[in-house]
Amino acid sequence: MIRHAGHVMAAAAMVSLLATTPAGGADESISWLSYGEGLAAAAESGRLVLIDFHADWCKYCKKMDKETFADPGVIRLIEEYFVPVSVDTEKEREPARRFGVRSLPTIWFLESDGTPLTPLPGFVAAPLFRDVLRYMSSRSFETMSFDAYLQKGP
């Protein structure tokens, strides 16, 4: 009987694991960190920080999650070049206040030491967001405007 119970518990654990793992593997979703964890990880890794300021009630935040943050190209670029941070403004008001977030969704890009670079307010569709991510990750913002970057061709 104990042996059978162990099999049932193992099967239940496997079902639970499968239910929380995206189909196709871990590469299909962004590994969001909390604000504190993200800043610490960025300081250690030297990567830029991408903060997604959002709230549960925000229609365009949900659209961004469903469309933009689910795009395989967006996921790949964020996971490769950024430390992704998720801040629910209803639960963590201080970071939103610190960055002057007035509308949702708002994305903020920071240097690895936490120095603010630029905000990106509002919903951004995946194709344009991929261009923004390439612009930021290549540090092209240091030498040209985003418009000039797009004209040059990513």
Side-chain angles (χ1 to χ4, degrees):
M1 186 69 171
I2 293 173
R3 177 176 243 158
H4 176 68
H7 290 296
V8 171
M9 288 175 33
M14 185 61 98
V15 168
S16 174
L17 178 64
L18 291 174
T20 58
T21 303
D27 291 343
E28 294 189 17
S29 66
I30 297 166
S31 302
W32 296 104
L33 299 175
S34 70
Y35 183 72
E37 292 170 333
L39 291 183
E44 188 175 307
S45 70
R47 294 192 307 174
L48 295 176
V49 178
L50 178 155
I51 305 176
D52 171 32
F53 287 99
H54 60 89
D56 287 342
W57 51 261
C58 170
K59 173 174 101 173
Y60 285 102
C61 298
K62 291 181 189 303
K63 183 176 174 72
M64 192 95 167
D65 285 343
K66 185 177 178 183
E67 297 176 19
T68 305
F69 291 137
D71 178 81
V74 168
I75 293 167
R76 183 187 59 74
L77 287 164
I78 289 175
E79 290 293 321
E80 187 170 343
Y81 297 107
F82 298 89
V83 173
V85 172
S86 176
V87 174
D88 182 332
T89 59
E90 293 296 314
K91 296 175 183 167
E92 294 183 86
R93 294 177 189 268
E94 179 52 34
R97 192 171 337 120
R98 182 176 301 142
F99 289 94
V101 173
R102 301 275 183 252
S103 64
L104 297 176
T106 292
I107 304 296
W108 259 98
F109 292 95
L110 315 177
E111 290 284 5
S112 60
D113 67 359
T115 302
L117 291 171
T118 191
L120 180 61
F123 171 80
V124 182
L128 180 58
F129 200 65
R130 287 191 303 266
D131 287 337
V132 170
L133 294 172
R134 287 185 198 102
Y135 173 71
M136 295 303 294
S137 65
S138 67
R139 301 192 71 85
S140 295
F141 61 87
E142 294 176 339
T143 60
M144 67 181 76
S145 70
F146 183 61
D147 287 340
Y149 175 79
L150 290 177
Q151 288 175 4
K152 177 181 90 64

